[in-house]
Amino acid sequence: MRSFALVGALVAGVGLAGTAGTAVAAEDSAVKPAVVGATAAPNWGSCPAATLAGVPADQVQFYSCARYRVPIDHDNASLGTIDIALLKRAARTPDKRVGSLFLNPGGPGGSGLRMPISGPAIFRPQVLDRFDLIGFDPRGVGQSNPLRCFTTQEDADEVFGAQIAVPLSRAEISGTLASYRDYGRFCKNNAGSLLNHMSTKDVVRDLDKLRAAVGDQKLTFVGFSYGTLIGSTYTSMFPKQSRAIVIDGNVDPALRTSDGVQYDRERAQGFEIALDAFLKRCDQVGAKCAFSDGNPRAKFDELREYLRKQPITLPGAAPLDINGFTGGVSSVLYSPAAFTGLAEDLQALYNAIHPAAQAQTLVAKPLKALTPGKQGLADLNPDSPYTSDDSYFAVNCSDKPFRIKQEQVPDIAAKWERESRTFGRYQAFADTAGCPVWPAKKPDAYRGPWRAKTDVPVVVVGNYYDPATQYKFSQRMAAELGNTRLLSVDAFGHCILGDALGVDQAVADYLIDLKVPANGQVFQPNVQPF
């Protein structure tokens, strides 16, 4: 997985101290916009050193930062304003500059501020030459007035510490459901008026103001994962302001915004599809995959069922239970580069429950991919600690309607578990358990229509074995928007730009020259797993 992608927080992580709010940022030069005609322009200036961490000294000149003020409620100015944090990487050949290219990494809750720094890992060099890359933290995220539900770390630790990723016993189930109710109460008390204005529609209205502020008549945008909902919502709300939109690792916008329960059920199925493909590929490559001896599918199922009853402790390692196992496997499925390490971990665990046959292999050796206690989830990068805000639920519970009561979740989990044995229960006790008790009242979310009457087709990119946004979602996105080109990739992992040269070149031609790629193409990644 590229370092820029899908940054965010674990659902079962910890919160930050601080109050949320409706506050207007301090009046300083960084947030006083200049005015160009009737449109306020960002006041670009130098960036904090921490924001540019890792940027070579000879490249710092290309970067500038700003804050841009937007209303909390675009239809009610009396609620006040918040400031959106922006980072720009200037085009390397300004005399040939096409315009600005806005970026979003997903999440929801992913900080997009530093995405322009990762530009060389995502785009062909000519894109960097011709566009100002603009990263931003969406409202309530990171440095853009972070929405926070807790005032102390201790409160956050207590609430999230009670959440079990794969609750099996009656006590675990009731405790997890209660913790989501507690979470909702903290958010109701502390998150402020921004809580009711965190939908993707709100983000898109901010984005349209940013587009106008930088002087672009039409938006050029690349979004990953949840960012595909931002892109598709923008094209649906502002089709004539859409220049070139690329969306990679797609959600199903119609389903996500109409039926949260079914959407989460199909997300669990997507993880199962990716897991099964991983195990089949392991079997096919033989000795290159450490877990290939015997029947990988049967071995994996045996491991999972064993861990549902008791943890496994390897010499020199902490115990690994079903929660860490499930979260760890889901995390690795995002990133094919980690498949080799996952296979080695699975084999070590399998050896541990067959000591008579494999005693010689039980040596003190840390797990490479499966970390006890790790609980990756949803669209977020499972390797990023939850240290910033509560935007993940704030956005998801605004966009995804859940017409159930929380007490129905245990029965739903049992049903999903029968069809998605590894990830069904895990998915049910995430958004499906939390959103029915989320305190936002009647959020103003966009729920269609989705037909994109854009001047240029939207480019939709989907991997065959994407775990978080299964390939079927990309097919649906393309069909629902209508005016699209679907680029399919015979690849594992979540999102692909930067890792498939053919796709990268097609996207570069599209962004720069509006050259529309042929529909129905199937590309290969630069590297296949193992």
Side-chain angles (χ1 to χ4, degrees), residues 149-172:
C149 295
F150 301 101
T151 57
T152 69
Q153 184 67 55
E154 290 74 16
D155 285 340
D157 289 347
E158 183 175 356
V159 169
F160 292 125
Q163 292 177 3
I164 306 297
V166 189
L168 296 170
S169 69
R170 181 173 297 180
E172 288 178 340

Side-chain angles (χ1 to χ4, degrees), residues 50 173 283 303 320 356-357 395 397 479 525:
I173 290 170
D283 190 41
L303 265 179
L320 181 71
V395 176
C397 299

Side-chain angles (χ1 to χ4, degrees), residues 119-133:
I122 310 171
F123 299 111
R124 301 294 294 153
Q126 57 266 40
V127 175
L128 308 182
D129 292 340
R130 305 289 297 277
F131 285 95
D132 294 340
L133 302 188

Side-chain angles (χ1 to χ4, degrees), residues 158-193:
E158 183 175 356
V159 169
F160 292 125
Q163 292 177 3
I164 306 297
V166 189
L168 296 170
S169 69
R170 181 173 297 180
E172 288 178 340
I173 290 170
S174 62
T176 298
L177 295 178
S179 75
Y180 280 118
R181 295 193 294 273
D182 291 340
Y183 189 21
R185 283 190 284 269
F186 273 103
C187 292
K188 181 179 181 179
N189 292 336
N190 297 317
S193 60

